[in-house]
Amino acid sequence: MITSNNKIIINNNCCDTYRILVIDFGSQYTQLLLRRIRELGVYSETYSFWNADISKISNFNPNGIILSGGPHSIVNNSYPNIPNALFTLGIPILGICLGMQIMAYKLGGTVKNIVLQREFGCSEIMLLSDNVLIKDIYDYIDDDTGYPIIDVWMSHGDVVTVVPDGFNIVGVNKNQQVAIMINEDKNLYGIQFHPEVTHTKKGKNILERFIKEICCCVSSWQINNITKDIINKISITVGKTDQVLLAFSGGVDSLVTAILLHHAIGRRFICIFIDNGLLLDNSISNRVYDFCIKHYNFNIIRISAEKRFLDALIGITNPEEKRKIIGRVFTEIFSEQISNLVSIKWLAQGTIYSDVIESGMSFSVFKNVIKSHHNVGGFTGIKNIHLLEPIKYLFKDEVRNIGLNLGLPYDIVYSYPFPGPGLAVRILGEVKKEYCEILRKADSIFFEELHRHDWYKKVSQAFAVFLPVYSVGIQGDQRKYKWVIVLRAVETTDFMTANWVQFSYDFLCIVSNRIVNEVEGVSRVVYDISSKPPATIEWE
C-alpha cells in the first residue's frame, strides 16, 4: 500500500515474486511496455530515471531491467542521466532505442546524429549471428543474403556508431547501422527498435526471450491471485467499520471497483452516480443500474445535475478547460454529499493506469500531458477524506479480466470505453444541450447498426463526434445549413496504439443515411480514418 497525503493506492504486488523494472526516459510507449511484460505473467513497475538511484533499484530487487526509449538526444547532451553503477549490478539489462544509446555511451561507445538517415516507421533488421536474445526469432530469410530478417518499428534520429568493448553487433538495418548489440558475458542487450509496439511483429517473442530465458522469470502475475490480493488489501486498508463513498459512473472501471469493494467490505459503501447531462442514452439508467441492484443490491444515490454542468460550460471551448471545469463541479457535488454523510471516511475511484498516463501524472517529468482526467487527483482536497484507488496501476485489459473473474457478464465488461467528461469531449467547442441531444441520437444509430451488422464485438471502440460547423445540404429541394457528425471506430489490443476500422462502403452508407434522415439538424456525416498514433482515439 502506498500513502501520499490523503491518497491511498492499492499497490498490487502480491504475485510479484518475479519482477521487471522499467526505467523510464520519457517514452510515450513506456506504459505499453509495462503492459507487454504483464501479459507474459510477470509483474513490472517503472521508475523515472531521475528517481532511479542504485539503492532504490536494489531494494526493488528486479530480475531484470529495461531502459525505455525517449524523445531526447545524447548528441546534444540533453539526455536523461543514470548511474554508471547500474551496469555493474549483475542484473540483465535490455536497452530500447534511447535506452540502447545511453547504454552504449555510458560504457564507452559512440552515438551520432543521422539527420539524413533517421528512421520513423517500419523497417527491416538483418540478423548477423545467433545469440540468446533472438535465436530462431525472425520473420523470413532474405533470398539474396541468406540472413534472417525481422520486421520492426523504428523511431530515432541518433545511432550507435561504435559499440562498447565486449559488445557484438548482431543486427543491422538497411543502412548497415547498429540495430542490435549484445554483451552476453555481462547480460547487457541493446536494440534500436521498439519491441513493445504491434508493428514489430516478433516484439513480444523478443521480450519473452529476455524476461523468461535471460532473466529467468516465471509467470506468477495472474488475474485470480491479483483479484484476491486487491480484495484483501481493501479490507485491511478500510478496516472493519469505516464507510466508503464510491464515484460510480457505470463504466467497467467503476463497476469493477464496486464489485471489489462489495467482496472486501460488504455493504459498507455507497455509490454516487451523477447524471451530468453528458451521458449516452441508456448508459447507467438501464442495463448496468438494473444489474447492480438485482445481483448486488448496491446502495446507489442518483443525482441529476445536468443544468449545473451545462451552465458551468457556457462559453468554454478549450478541451482542457472543459475537463477541469467538469472535474471541479464533480468535486463540489461529492464534497456536498460527503458533508451530508458524516460517517464517510473514504472516497473510492475507478482510476486506472491510462488515466494517470494521459494526465501526465506518471513517473517521468519528460512526458507531455495528452489530456487531463477529472478523476485523477480531483478529490484530494476534501478534508478528512482518504482517496482509495484500488485499480490505479492496472491496465484496462487487466481490469476487464478481473471483472470476468468476479462473474460480470461479458457484454458489460467489454462495453465500449466512455470518457469521464462524457459528451463534453465529443462535442468540439462549446457544449450545449442541443448538441448533446443531436450527438446522442447519432451515436445511438451508429450502435444499433454495429449490432445489426455483427460489428459491435469486432470493434474495440466506436462513437460519434459533433462538429460545430455548418455544412450545406439539400433536404426537400431546399438548401439547408446544418451540423456535421463524425463517425469514429478503432481496433486495438491495448488502447495505446489503434487502427481505424475498415467498414464496408455499404455499412457506412446505411449509417450515414439514417443519421442524416433521422437526426434533425445534421446535414453531413464523415468517417475518421486516422490511426493512433499520430491521432488519439478521442477527438479531445
Side-chain angles (χ1 to χ4, degrees), residues 250-269:
V252 65
D253 303 329
S254 65
L255 178 57
V256 168
T257 301
I259 306 299
L260 290 168
L261 287 169
H262 170 78
H263 284 282
I265 61 174
R267 287 184 53 81
R268 285 188 287 123
F269 73 99

Side-chain angles (χ1 to χ4, degrees), residues 126 140-147:
M126 180 185 297
Y140 64 94
I141 302 293
D142 184 83
D143 291 334
D144 295 329
T145 66
Y147 285 114

Side-chain angles (χ1 to χ4, degrees), residues 243-283:
Q243 301 284 319
V244 177
L245 190 67
L246 171 64
F248 188 68
S249 69
V252 65
D253 303 329
S254 65
L255 178 57
V256 168
T257 301
I259 306 299
L260 290 168
L261 287 169
H262 170 78
H263 284 282
I265 61 174
R267 287 184 53 81
R268 285 188 287 123
F269 73 99
I270 299 171
C271 298
I272 297 290
F273 166 64
I274 300 174
D275 183 353
N276 58 10
L278 304 169
L279 302 174
L280 295 174
D281 283 340
N282 303 321
S283 53

Side-chain angles (χ1 to χ4, degrees), residues 292-502:
C292 292
I293 297 298
K294 178 180 179 181
H295 293 277
Y296 294 97
N297 194 26
F298 285 167
N299 183 1
I300 302 178
I301 298 174
R302 302 177 67 171
I303 299 171
S304 180
E306 178 185 51
K307 187 176 186 303
R308 187 165 174 178
F309 279 90
L310 291 180
D311 286 349
L313 291 168
I314 291 175
I316 305 301
T317 59
N318 181 276
E320 273 301 291
E321 194 173 353
K322 285 192 286 186
R323 289 175 180 274
K324 290 175 181 177
I325 288 172
I326 291 168
R328 173 178 58 77
V329 177
F330 263 106
T331 302
E332 291 171 357
I333 293 173
F334 271 93
S335 298
E336 293 163 6
Q337 292 300 312
I338 289 172
S339 66
N340 295 327
L341 301 167
V342 294
S343 62
I344 297 296
K345 303 295 183 185
W346 301 87
L347 177 63
Q349 293 188 140
T351 309
I352 64 171
Y353 222 168
S354 59
D355 299 333
V356 178
I357 298 163
E358 293 183 342
S359 296
M361 297 177 68
S362 54
F363 302 91
S364 175
V365 294
F366 282 105
K367 281 194 176 66
N368 294 320
V369 175
I370 300 172
K371 56 187 177 183
S372 60
H373 285 257
H374 74 280
N375 62 330
V376 178
F379 301 115
T380 57
I382 300 177
K383 189 176 181 181
N384 298 323
I385 295 294
H386 296 291
L387 183 60
L388 184 71
E389 297 180 305
I391 59 173
K392 184 169 184 177
Y393 290 108
L394 296 182
F395 293 102
K396 176 70 77 174
D397 61 315
E398 293 173 319
V399 175
R400 283 175 164 161
N401 286 332
I402 287 176
L404 295 175
N405 190 46
L406 292 169
L408 292 177
Y410 181 92
D411 61 335
I412 289 180
V413 170
Y414 278 90
S415 59
Y416 292 157
F418 188 66
L423 299 182
V425 292
R426 291 181 179 173
I427 296 171
L428 273 63
E430 185 178 5
V431 179
K432 297 181 180 181
K433 185 172 182 177
E434 170 199 351
Y435 301 164
C436 292
E437 293 299 333
I438 291 173
L439 188 53
R440 268 190 279 265
K441 292 175 183 177
D443 206 89
S444 180
I445 290 171
F446 194 15
F447 274 34
E448 287 175 14
E449 295 302 331
L450 286 168
H451 282 291
R452 184 173 291 123
H453 290 82
D454 197 30
W455 269 107
Y456 189 88
K457 290 184 179 180
K458 301 174 185 177
V459 173
S460 305
Q461 188 170 1
F463 55 91
V465 177
F466 179 90
L467 294 187
V469 293
Y470 274 132
S471 174
V472 68
I474 299 175
Q475 293 179 332
D477 294 326
Q478 295 182 354
R479 289 170 65 88
K480 299 285 186 179
Y481 281 95
K482 296 185 178 181
W483 305 114
V484 178
I485 290 292
V486 179
L487 302 179
R488 177 77 160 141
V490 298
E491 297 172 313
T492 179
T493 58
D494 48 48
F495 289 89
M496 303 294 288
T497 60
N499 293 318
W500 60 278
V501 177
Q502 298 186 36

Side-chain angles (χ1 to χ4, degrees), residues 175-234:
N175 296 316
Q176 297 299 305
Q177 295 161 343
V178 180
I180 305 174
M181 66 177 200
I182 292 178
N183 184 331
E184 288 193 32
D185 292 336
K186 294 185 177 180
N187 266 338
L188 300 177
Y189 306 83
I191 55 178
Q192 185 59 67
F193 54 91
H194 287 269
E196 68 271 30
V197 302
T198 55
H199 303 78
T200 300
K201 298 176 182 178
K202 300 293 185 181
K204 194 169 183 178
N205 302 86
I206 295 169
L207 287 173
E208 184 172 20
R209 180 68 57 80
F210 175 73
I211 290 165
K212 292 191 173 180
E213 296 191 24
I214 296 172
C215 300
C216 301
C217 291
V218 176
S219 297
S220 58
W221 179 251
Q222 304 294 337
I223 288 299
N224 188 52
N225 296 330
I226 298 168
T227 305
K228 291 178 180 178
D229 188 63
I230 295 175
I231 292 170
N232 181 56
K233 288 185 176 180
I234 292 174

